[in-house]
Amino acid sequence: MTRFSLPDFDLDAFVRATLAEDLGAGGDITSMATIPADARFGGVMDSRDAITVAGLPIAERFFQALEPGMEIEILVEEGAAVAAGSDLMRLAGNARAMLTAERSALNTVQHLSGIATMTRQYVDALAGTGATLLDTRKTIPGLRVLEKYATRMGGAKNHRMGLWDAAMIKDNHVAVAGSVEEAVRRAVDAGIADIIVEVDRVAQVEPALRAGATHLLLDNMDLDELRECVALVGGKVPTEASGGVRLDTIRDIGATGVTYVSVGRLTQSAPAADIGLDFALA
């Protein structure tokens, strides 16, 4: 299997906090009341729809947190496209532990696989245009690293993990600074190496470049405007089309010559994948 890695993310802390939220002060009272402490279960996690898979190693950690010796076999690679009905993971171990961890594990895989699945659809629609799909910061608070991991599994490129890794000069920054050129000049003077500038009019392109922008975000422009901006930039810096991009429009947008197309709905609006866990006595 592909090596699973989430740099700078405390997965153990995430697992503990998620389980604690579900268990509360009383624990899994249903399982404790109905299932003998030494009962064993076998289970199979499977997908009811065709999906792109993300999050199985995280699900594994939920089960292992409650029974370190649980037997778990991950059956598919992260980022793999699987058909409806595909088995994703096999488990065998303590029944109480398995049932207690089930919802946290499934919620995580369903959410991340939903993001990866939608991302793959956009990547496939963009293929051949020369443009690359980017994700955004439109993520659920606390889940950004996981959600951006899921977009990577779907084939997108991560873009701006936070406010710290590149300047992003948007319309409100421009309004306070007085102009695009002045906002960019201040970022340059601050010694920032990567300066992304959002422009929503063609007339803003040349002032942004002249002041030192290193990346232009072309916001909510139509196809003709995108082509005009790409021509004006002439390859000096990367260009990124953004704003209201849909699956049925992304290919035409990518074909304008932009370097990137960013899509917020990948992490903001992806539906959960339909994944279940079916149990049998072990």
Side-chain angles (χ1 to χ4, degrees):
M1 292 292 173
T2 300
R3 184 176 180 183
F4 171 72
S5 177
L6 286 174
D8 302 319
F9 184 76
D10 192 335
L11 182 55
D12 290 333
F14 170 74
V15 168
R16 288 194 301 270
T18 303
L19 289 172
E21 177 183 61
D22 218 12
L23 289 165
D28 182 359
I29 59 175
T30 308
S31 294
M32 289 189 292
T34 61
I35 297 174
D38 60 353
R40 289 181 61 80
F41 254 13
V44 176
M45 186 184 292
D46 68 304
S47 177
R48 282 74 188 268
D49 294 324
I51 63 167
T52 297
V53 177
L56 293 178
I58 304 172
E60 179 182 40
R61 296 283 275 274
F62 281 108
F63 294 113
Q64 290 175 336
L66 297 182
E67 188 194 348
M70 189 172 293
E71 299 170 24
I72 300 173
E73 183 183 7
I74 295 176
L75 303 174
V76 298
E77 294 267 4
E78 291 287 280
V82 301
S86 296
D87 292 344
L88 308 177
M89 175 187 290
R90 278 196 288 266
L91 311 93
N94 181 269
R96 283 187 183 179
M98 201 177 297
L99 289 171
T100 299
E102 174 191 8
R103 180 44 51 199
S104 295
L106 281 177
N107 284 351
T108 302
V109 178
Q110 288 173 328
H111 181 55
L112 299 187
S113 294
I115 291 171
T117 300
M118 177 181 278
T119 302
R120 178 59 63 186
Q121 293 170 343
Y122 276 79
V123 167
D124 289 346
L126 194 57
T129 65
T132 298
L133 182 66
L134 299 179
D135 57 19
T136 72
R137 287 171 48 242
K138 294 179 180 178
T139 55
I140 295 175
L143 296 185
R144 179 168 298 165
V145 170
L146 296 183
E147 292 180 341
K148 281 180 170 280
Y149 165 78
T151 65
R152 290 201 307 276
M153 294 303 99
K157 179 179 179 181
N158 288 159
H159 182 48
R160 289 193 81 220
M161 294 301 293
L163 295 169
W164 52 270
D165 54 355
M168 169 73 90
I169 296 172
K170 298 175 72 69
D171 53 357
N172 287 332
H173 301 100
V174 170
V176 174
S179 69
V180 166
E181 200 162 4
E182 178 61 17
V184 177
R185 184 191 64 76
R186 293 180 185 181
V188 171
D189 289 347
I192 299 173
D194 298 319
I195 303 173
I196 304 166
V197 182
E198 177 187 272
V199 297
D200 53 22
R201 301 186 304 279
V202 175
Q204 293 176 315
V205 169
E206 289 184 336
L209 290 175
R210 187 165 55 244
T214 64
H215 179 129
L216 292 186
L217 188 155
L218 311 176
D219 188 46
N220 283 298
M221 292 186 177
D222 62 30
L223 299 179
D224 287 339
E225 289 172 319
L226 290 173
R227 282 188 282 264
E228 185 175 356
C229 288
V230 168
L232 279 172
V233 172
K236 298 182 186 73
V237 300
T239 53
E240 172 189 345
S242 185
V245 179
R246 304 189 310 271
L247 191 59
D248 63 333
T249 63
I250 191 169
R251 186 166 192 82
D252 287 340
I253 291 170
T256 63
V258 292
T259 316
Y260 302 111
V261 182
S262 58
V263 179
R265 71 180 64 223
L266 301 178
T267 49
Q268 190 180 48
S269 306
D274 188 0
I275 296 170
L277 189 56
D278 298 318
F279 293 110
L281 289 174

